[in-house]
Amino acid sequence: FFLGTGLFFEQLPILKYTLGPLTLALALLFFVQSFRIRFVCDDKAFSLKESKLWTRSDELGDTGQNIVVGGDNSWTYSSFVNYETFPKGWIDLPQGPILIYFKETQTDKTKWSEGPGQSANSPDALAKGAIPGQVHFFPALCDAKALISEWEKRGAKKISST
């Protein structure tokens, strides 16, 4: 998606020097990350692991602390209070969604209002039915349908859409 969009922007005179290179850089980042990062669903938790592909090892390593809020990049399914894909209707389309979102309560409460959590935990959002928690967004570098299926199978909570 991003590669095609970047190449398209490269053909338009004004966008050629602005959005084209930016979109191509984003495509390159996602390409590299798709080889480096693995989303792992075990019996109790969803985790981010680092592939040792570059060292020709089948082992998965620890990704270290979460760069935004600290703590391990592993969250129990019982801490999930919501999840969704964006755009919402794209889960069944061939290209799949662009982003995957989940909200959890395992992260320290003092971090919940950082970044997108400020809006997601605002009084207005809570009045509309949101549940407080830490928000996580990540690019859909995996089979999003399979990931959501794993979360459903393992009991991750989801606020039903109305």
Side-chain angles (χ1 to χ4, degrees), residues 80-132:
F80 279 44
V81 294
N82 197 22
Y83 59 87
E84 190 59 77
T85 60
F86 295 102
K88 283 186 183 183
W90 286 23
I91 191 83
D92 293 317
L93 297 177
Q95 76 274 7
I98 296 171
L99 289 173
I100 300 174
Y101 147 89
F102 71 98
K103 192 181 217 185
E104 47 80 14
T105 58
Q106 182 176 310
T107 300
D108 181 6
K109 283 184 178 186
T110 61
K111 305 286 187 179
W112 290 2
S113 291
E114 292 183 14
Q118 186 174 14
S119 170
N121 292 306
S122 69
D124 187 43
L126 298 176
K128 292 179 182 175
I131 298 172

Side-chain angles (χ1 to χ4, degrees), residues 25-112:
L26 192 58
L28 181 61
L29 171 69
F30 289 166
F31 177 76
V32 170
Q33 293 293 66
S34 69
F35 285 100
R36 194 178 80 78
I37 298 295
R38 296 290 176 262
F39 302 112
V40 178
C41 292
D42 64 20
D43 291 339
K44 296 183 189 222
F46 166 68
S47 306
L48 294 181
K49 298 287 184 180
E50 187 171 14
S51 170
K52 301 294 183 184
L53 181 66
W54 312 119
T55 61
R56 298 183 187 209
S57 171
D58 290 337
E59 293 182 33
L60 295 176
D62 188 12
T63 57
Q65 296 285 305
N66 185 287
I67 62 169
V68 178
V69 294
D72 290 335
N73 284 311
S74 181
W75 304 273
T76 60
Y77 303 113
S78 61
S79 73
F80 279 44
V81 294
N82 197 22
Y83 59 87
E84 190 59 77
T85 60
F86 295 102
K88 283 186 183 183
W90 286 23
I91 191 83
D92 293 317
L93 297 177
Q95 76 274 7
I98 296 171
L99 289 173
I100 300 174
Y101 147 89
F102 71 98
K103 192 181 217 185
E104 47 80 14
T105 58
Q106 182 176 310
T107 300
D108 181 6
K109 283 184 178 186
T110 61
K111 305 286 187 179
W112 290 2

Side-chain angles (χ1 to χ4, degrees), residues 5-20:
T5 303
L7 291 172
F8 172 73
F9 286 160
E10 285 292 319
Q11 305 307 311
L12 302 173
I14 294 174
L15 300 179
K16 184 175 192 170
Y17 301 107
T18 56
L19 290 179

